[in-house]
Amino acid sequence: MNSPQQAQKRPLAVLQKAITKKATVRLKTDVEYRGRVSNVDAFMNLILEDAEEFEGGRLSANYGRVIVRGDNVLYVKLESSL
Amino acid sequence: MNSPQQAQKRPLAVLQKAITKKATVRLKTDVEYRGRVSNVDAFMNLILEDAEEFEGGRLSANYGRVIVRGDNVLYVKLESSL
Amino acid sequence: MNSPQQAQKRPLAVLQKAITKKATVRLKTDVEYRGRVSNVDAFMNLILEDAEEFEGGRLSANYGRVIVRGDNVLYVKLESSL
Amino acid sequence: MNSPQQAQKRPLAVLQKAITKKATVRLKTDVEYRGRVSNVDAFMNLILEDAEEFEGGRLSANYGRVIVRGDNVLYVKLESSL
Amino acid sequence: MNSPQQAQKRPLAVLQKAITKKATVRLKTDVEYRGRVSNVDAFMNLILEDAEEFEGGRLSANYGRVIVRGDNVLYVKLESSL
Amino acid sequence: MNSPQQAQKRPLAVLQKAITKKATVRLKTDVEYRGRVSNVDAFMNLILEDAEEFEGGRLSANYGRVIVRGDNVLYVKLESSL
Amino acid sequence: MNSPQQAQKRPLAVLQKAITKKATVRLKTDVEYRGRVSNVDAFMNLILEDAEEFEGGRLSANYGRVIVRGDNVLYVKLESSL
């Protein structure tokens, strides 16, 4: 088993490495944002570029750059494996 | 990959650099505030100048300077890329 | 960009400097308290003097000195710029 | 401006000094407890002596000594200025 | 005024001293547990012995020893002053 | 009175000692899990072995080993005193 | 009894060791994700590979790699004992 310090960083480290990749960010409210993750921090605060908002699977808005507060996040789905 | 300390600051650093820029702050309640971000801290507490409140896309109030507690924030959208 | 430590204090520092100024404190429940901010701390716990409570824009109660727990706060609006 | 450490203690320090004074503790649920604050801590956990419970402005229960967990608190109103 | 460190411990210290006393633990859901507090910690996690559960003032269950997670607690009422 | 550090560990220490004992874990949603506690940590994250799920007192599912996130816990009832 | 530091890591350590095993992640919303846990951290943030989403026991979506924010988790069920 790895050290706790390593363990603690991993899912966030995967997100870090996913920078510039396309991702879907599902919020606890079930709204989704799709875009390129240009950065993320330890709270899962995320910067999305060229973000699109989807509600009920339907495109509901186009954003430019949006900074999502991490505590709203349900999951982040990466479009391609790393 | 960057050091965890760098990673942890980034989305907030982007907000910091956005000072004096126009931004839209969407709250978890779906109310929006639009104005210039004059400062932000690690909790995403934000100072907005010349803030306007929108509900359902409709202007509902004009504020001067307003300090929004960070835990209410869903996302911050920057009007122009940095 | 400023040091993270400076950044972290700013919105609260603005509130600190606002002491003795009139302010409106909007809670997450949409109740509002208006009064003079006589102090504030890092959790946004606030002391309001001569506080008035408004619900739906209507004066609903007069308080003397009231200490509002910070986690209830949606925003603080300062009556005059600093 | 005062040091952050001083700023951080103030609303709680006011509560500390209010010990033995009559106070009204309004909870987030809108229930109120009235009694003498015999102590308080950094989480706003409060000890009330001779506490009375009010719901909708009506006395609903008499308690002896009650320890209220701070995270339930909306505000504390001090009966007399300090 | 006492040191902040002393202040921070007091309501919990009172609970600590109440060990073996009868107490009523009211939860945020308005369910009540009555029993002897055999221990408590800084999160207000509580061990109750010979605990009885009341809903709407009616005895709804008998428990032996129950460990209540502190974040569910609204207040703890001590049956006798200390 | 004991030192604060000792006080802080006690209810969790009791849970620790309860390892291999049968326990009922009631969640905030009123769902219950019954099984042997094979471990617990400071967040009250619990490992239950041979866990059964009950809803409204009725067995609703059989699990093998389940790791319950501590923040969902209302209480843990130990089947026998320690 | 073990040291508190050991105690604190155990349920998460079990999850760590479960890496590459099949698991069911039940969320607080009762949605379930099934897949291989490829990593987990101290907040119970989880990386699931080949994740499937189930609502009401019915397969509702297929995901590739998904990073679930830990605070949404109700429990993690491991398909086989370790």
Side-chain angles (χ1 to χ4, degrees):
Chain A
M1 191 202 158
N2 303 294
S3 80
Q5 208 162 14
Q6 283 183 304
Q8 193 160 348
K9 279 175 224 154
R10 286 205 187 150
L12 295 166
V14 166
L15 278 174
Q16 271 296 329
K17 282 193 225 152
I19 283 174
T20 75
K21 305 249 170 174
K22 293 276 278 179
T24 298
V25 179
R26 171 77 70 103
L27 302 190
K28 289 169 183 173
T29 57
D30 286 347
V31 172
E32 280 188 7
Y33 298 107
R34 300 190 193 153
R36 276 181 303 107
V37 177
S38 76
N39 220 320
V40 66
D41 67 14
F43 306 106
M44 237 182 246
N45 296 326
L46 288 145
I47 306 174
L48 281 178
E49 312 282 348
D50 305 321
E52 294 169 314
E53 183 188 87
F54 290 82
E55 294 191 67
R58 224 169 26 88
L59 180 69
S60 48
N62 280 289
Y63 301 126
R65 166 184 284 190
V66 71
I67 296 152
V68 179
R69 199 173 193 264
D71 67 332
N72 298 287
V73 173
L74 175 59
Y75 66 71
V76 180
K77 181 159 62 101
L78 300 176
E79 295 301 317
S80 56
S81 69
L82 303 178
Chain B
M1 194 203 155
N2 303 294
S3 80
Q5 208 162 13
Q6 282 184 307
Q8 193 160 349
K9 280 175 224 156
R10 284 201 189 154
L12 294 166
V14 166
L15 278 175
Q16 271 296 329
K17 283 194 225 151
I19 283 173
T20 76
K21 305 249 171 175
K22 294 277 279 180
T24 297
V25 179
R26 171 76 71 103
L27 303 190
K28 290 169 183 173
T29 58
D30 285 347
V31 172
E32 279 188 8
Y33 298 108
R34 300 190 193 153
R36 277 180 302 106
V37 177
S38 76
N39 219 319
V40 67
D41 68 15
F43 305 106
M44 237 183 246
N45 296 327
L46 288 145
I47 305 174
L48 282 178
E49 313 281 347
D50 305 321
E52 294 170 314
E53 183 187 87
F54 289 81
E55 295 191 65
R58 224 170 25 89
L59 181 68
S60 48
N62 280 289
Y63 301 127
R65 166 184 284 189
V66 71
I67 297 151
V68 179
R69 199 173 193 265
D71 66 332
N72 298 287
V73 173
L74 175 58
Y75 66 71
V76 180
K77 181 159 63 101
L78 301 176
E79 295 301 316
S80 56
S81 69
L82 302 179
Chain C
M1 194 204 154
N2 302 294
S3 81
Q5 207 162 14
Q6 282 185 306
Q8 193 160 349
K9 280 176 223 156
R10 284 202 188 154
L12 294 166
V14 166
L15 278 175
Q16 270 296 327
K17 283 194 225 153
I19 282 173
T20 76
K21 305 249 171 177
K22 294 277 278 180
T24 297
V25 179
R26 171 74 72 103
L27 302 190
K28 289 170 183 172
T29 57
D30 285 347
V31 172
E32 279 187 8
Y33 298 107
R34 300 190 192 153
R36 277 179 303 105
V37 177
S38 75
N39 219 318
V40 67
D41 68 13
F43 305 105
M44 237 184 247
N45 297 327
L46 287 146
I47 306 174
L48 281 178
E49 312 281 348
D50 305 321
E52 294 170 315
E53 184 187 87
F54 290 81
E55 295 192 66
R58 222 169 26 88
L59 181 68
S60 47
N62 280 289
Y63 301 126
R65 165 184 284 189
V66 71
I67 297 151
V68 179
R69 200 172 192 266
D71 66 333
N72 298 286
V73 173
L74 175 58
Y75 66 71
V76 179
K77 180 160 64 99
L78 301 175
E79 294 300 316
S80 55
S81 69
L82 302 179
Chain D
M1 194 205 155
N2 303 294
S3 80
Q5 207 162 13
Q6 281 184 305
Q8 195 161 346
K9 279 176 225 156
R10 285 203 188 152
L12 295 167
V14 166
L15 278 175
Q16 271 295 327
K17 283 193 225 152
I19 283 173
T20 76
K21 306 248 171 178
K22 294 275 277 179
T24 297
V25 179
R26 171 75 71 104
L27 302 190
K28 289 170 183 171
T29 57
D30 285 347
V31 172
E32 279 188 8
Y33 298 106
R34 301 191 191 151
R36 278 179 303 107
V37 177
S38 76
N39 220 319
V40 67
D41 67 14
F43 304 105
M44 236 184 247
N45 297 327
L46 288 146
I47 305 174
L48 281 178
E49 312 280 348
D50 306 320
E52 293 169 315
E53 184 187 87
F54 290 80
E55 295 191 67
R58 222 169 26 88
L59 181 67
S60 48
N62 280 289
Y63 301 126
R65 165 185 283 189
V66 70
I67 296 151
V68 179
R69 201 172 192 266
D71 67 333
N72 298 287
V73 173
L74 175 58
Y75 66 71
V76 179
K77 179 159 63 98
L78 300 175
E79 294 299 317
S80 56
S81 69
L82 302 178
Chain E
M1 193 204 155
N2 303 295
S3 80
Q5 209 163 11
Q6 282 184 304
Q8 195 161 345
K9 279 175 225 155
R10 284 201 189 155
L12 294 166
V14 167
L15 278 175
Q16 272 295 327
K17 283 192 224 153
I19 282 173
T20 76
K21 306 249 171 176
K22 294 275 278 177
T24 298
V25 180
R26 171 75 72 103
L27 302 190
K28 289 169 182 171
T29 57
D30 286 348
V31 172
E32 279 187 8
Y33 298 106
R34 300 191 192 151
R36 278 180 302 108
V37 177
S38 75
N39 220 319
V40 66
D41 68 14
F43 305 106
M44 236 184 248
N45 297 327
L46 288 145
I47 306 174
L48 281 178
E49 311 281 349
D50 305 321
E52 294 170 315
E53 184 187 87
F54 290 80
E55 294 191 67
R58 223 169 26 87
L59 180 67
S60 48
N62 281 288
Y63 302 127
R65 167 184 280 188
V66 70
I67 296 152
V68 179
R69 201 174 193 264
D71 67 333
N72 298 287
V73 173
L74 175 58
Y75 66 70
V76 180
K77 180 159 63 98
L78 300 176
E79 294 300 316
S80 57
S81 69
L82 303 179
Chain F
M1 193 204 156
N2 304 294
S3 81
Q5 209 163 11
Q6 283 185 305
Q8 195 160 347
K9 279 175 225 154
R10 285 203 188 152
L12 295 167
V14 167
L15 278 175
Q16 271 294 329
K17 282 192 225 154
I19 283 173
T20 75
K21 305 249 170 176
K22 293 276 278 179
T24 298
V25 180
R26 171 76 71 104
L27 302 190
K28 290 170 182 171
T29 57
D30 286 348
V31 172
E32 279 188 8
Y33 297 107
R34 300 189 192 154
R36 278 180 303 107
V37 177
S38 75
N39 220 319
V40 66
D41 67 13
F43 304 106
M44 236 183 248
N45 297 326
L46 287 145
I47 306 174
L48 281 178
E49 311 282 348
D50 305 321
E52 294 169 315
E53 183 188 86
F54 289 81
E55 294 191 68
R58 223 170 26 88
L59 180 68
S60 47
N62 281 288
Y63 301 127
R65 167 184 282 189
V66 71
I67 296 152
V68 178
R69 201 174 192 264
D71 67 332
N72 297 288
V73 173
L74 175 57
Y75 65 71
V76 180
K77 180 159 63 99
L78 301 176
E79 295 300 316
S80 56
S81 69
L82 303 178
Chain G
M1 191 202 158
N2 304 295
S3 81
Q5 209 162 11
Q6 282 184 304
Q8 194 160 347
K9 279 176 224 153
R10 287 206 186 150
L12 295 166
V14 166
L15 278 175
Q16 272 295 328
K17 283 193 225 151
I19 283 173
T20 75
K21 304 249 170 174
K22 293 276 279 178
T24 298
V25 179
R26 171 77 69 102
L27 303 190
K28 290 169 182 173
T29 57
D30 286 347
V31 172
E32 280 187 8
Y33 298 106
R34 300 190 193 153
R36 277 181 303 107
V37 177
S38 76
N39 219 320
V40 66
D41 68 13
F43 305 106
M44 237 182 246
N45 296 327
L46 287 145
I47 306 174
L48 281 178
E49 312 282 348
D50 305 321
E52 294 169 315
E53 184 188 87
F54 290 81
E55 295 192 66
R58 224 170 25 89
L59 180 69
S60 47
N62 281 289
Y63 301 127
R65 167 184 283 189
V66 70
I67 296 152
V68 179
R69 201 174 193 263
D71 67 332
N72 297 288
V73 173
L74 174 58
Y75 66 72
V76 180
K77 181 159 63 99
L78 301 176
E79 294 301 316
S80 57
S81 68
L82 303 178

